[in-house]
């Protein structure tokens, strides 16, 4: 199984991806975590990622695509994977398409996104950065989801964590 998990920041992707990964015994590829790990590198690549994360913009598409491709093609992911946060836009998709068997979209309102991100209290979750992320990601996310429309599963991400998780498992059962 090759699952792509999508949603705006704060939609619950990371928690949901972790639970699904454990339940389905799939490799978990968390793009944000990979980028934050690389951000601490004392290299041009690390500085570039840090700058993008601080500003709320997207990291270089080719760089992100290469990082995800390396992870997916590694030993850990041979039996399938769940990708959280990739591709974020069509350019990344052109660089590398993981060819998902299932694409899950956690749909939440922008109001919910703002509330959740401010509550989690990460350093880069300032109101200004949140607004920039919403602006940048909303349009691009729509284009990516349109690309995967044939295997798209839309889930109401406003529900509780448990309800979202169970809804996804139920949908995956019907699609296999």
């Amino acid at each position: 199984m090759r699952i792509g998990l999508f949603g705006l920041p704060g939609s619950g992707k990371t928690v949901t991806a972790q639970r699904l990964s454990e339940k389905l015994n799939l490799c978990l590829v968390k793009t944000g975590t990979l980028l934050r790990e690389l951000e601490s590198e004392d290299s041009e690549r690390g500085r570039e990622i840090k700058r993008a994360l601080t500003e709320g913009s997207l990291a270089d598409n080719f760089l992100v695509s290469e990082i995800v491709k390396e992870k997916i093609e590694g030993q850990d992911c041979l039996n399938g994977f769940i990708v959280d946060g990739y591709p974020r836009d069509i350019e990344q998709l052109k660089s590398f398409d993981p060819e998902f068997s299932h694409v899950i979209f956690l749909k939440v309102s922008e109001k919910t996104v703002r509330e959740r991100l401010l509550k989690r209290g990460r350093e880069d979750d300032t109101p200004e950065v949140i607004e920039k992320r919403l602006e940048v990601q909303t349009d691009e996310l729509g284009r990516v989801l349109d690309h995967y429309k044939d295997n798209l599963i839309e889930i109401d991400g406003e529900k509780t964590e448990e309800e979202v998780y169970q809804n996804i498992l139920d949908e995956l059962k019907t699609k296999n």
Side-chain angles (χ1 to χ4, degrees):
M1 205 176 308
R2 302 163 67 99
I3 298 173
L5 188 59
F6 293 88
L8 291 171
S11 62
K13 293 183 309 289
T14 303
V15 170
T16 303
Q18 183 67 48
R19 290 186 70 187
L20 290 171
S21 168
E22 291 168 7
K23 172 77 174 173
L24 303 172
N25 197 28
L26 297 172
C27 172
L28 178 56
V29 180
K30 298 190 295 188
T31 309
T33 300
L34 291 173
L35 291 173
R36 280 189 283 284
E37 288 170 0
L38 292 170
E39 172 189 21
S40 62
E41 278 185 4
D42 185 21
S43 65
E44 182 57 37
R45 182 167 82 164
R47 287 186 288 279
E48 181 182 333
I49 292 168
K50 184 177 184 84
R51 184 174 51 253
L53 293 177
T54 302
E55 294 171 358
S57 58
L58 299 175
D60 177 75
N61 284 330
F62 182 75
L63 174 63
V64 174
S65 297
E66 286 300 305
I67 292 166
V68 171
K69 183 178 180 184
E70 287 171 18
K71 179 71 174 170
I72 285 174
E73 292 178 348
Q75 287 295 108
D76 295 352
C77 295
L78 291 178
N79 294 325
F81 53 81
I82 296 176
V83 178
D84 167 6
Y86 179 90
R88 291 221 191 249
D89 60 33
I90 293 298
E91 290 306 311
Q92 285 182 352
L93 186 60
K94 288 178 184 175
S95 294
F96 174 65
D97 184 349
E99 299 177 5
F100 299 120
S101 57
H102 304 288
V103 174
I104 300 167
F105 173 54
L106 302 180
K107 187 173 182 176
V108 295
S109 70
E110 289 188 9
K111 178 179 184 258
T112 298
V113 167
R114 289 182 191 95
E115 290 170 359
R116 289 179 180 178
L117 293 182
L118 289 171
K119 280 183 193 170
R120 77 180 181 184
R122 245 180 29 203
E123 188 178 312
D124 58 335
D125 284 337
T126 65
E128 298 80 21
V129 170
I130 291 169
E131 290 307 314
K132 175 74 172 170
R133 277 196 213 128
L134 283 170
E135 179 185 317
V136 169
Q137 293 182 22
T138 303
D139 289 341
E140 291 297 337
L141 181 59
R143 290 183 190 98
V144 170
L145 294 175
D146 189 52
H147 173 81
Y148 290 117
K149 65 182 177 253
D150 292 340
N151 44 356
L152 181 64
I153 300 169
E154 195 169 295
I155 300 291
D156 181 356
E158 302 278 344
K159 294 185 176 186
T160 67
E161 179 184 317
E162 186 60 31
E163 289 172 315
V164 167
Y165 173 69
Q166 286 302 322
N167 288 347
I168 293 169
L169 290 177
D170 291 345
E171 286 290 331
L172 289 174
K173 281 180 195 167
T174 65
K175 303 286 183 199
N176 281 334

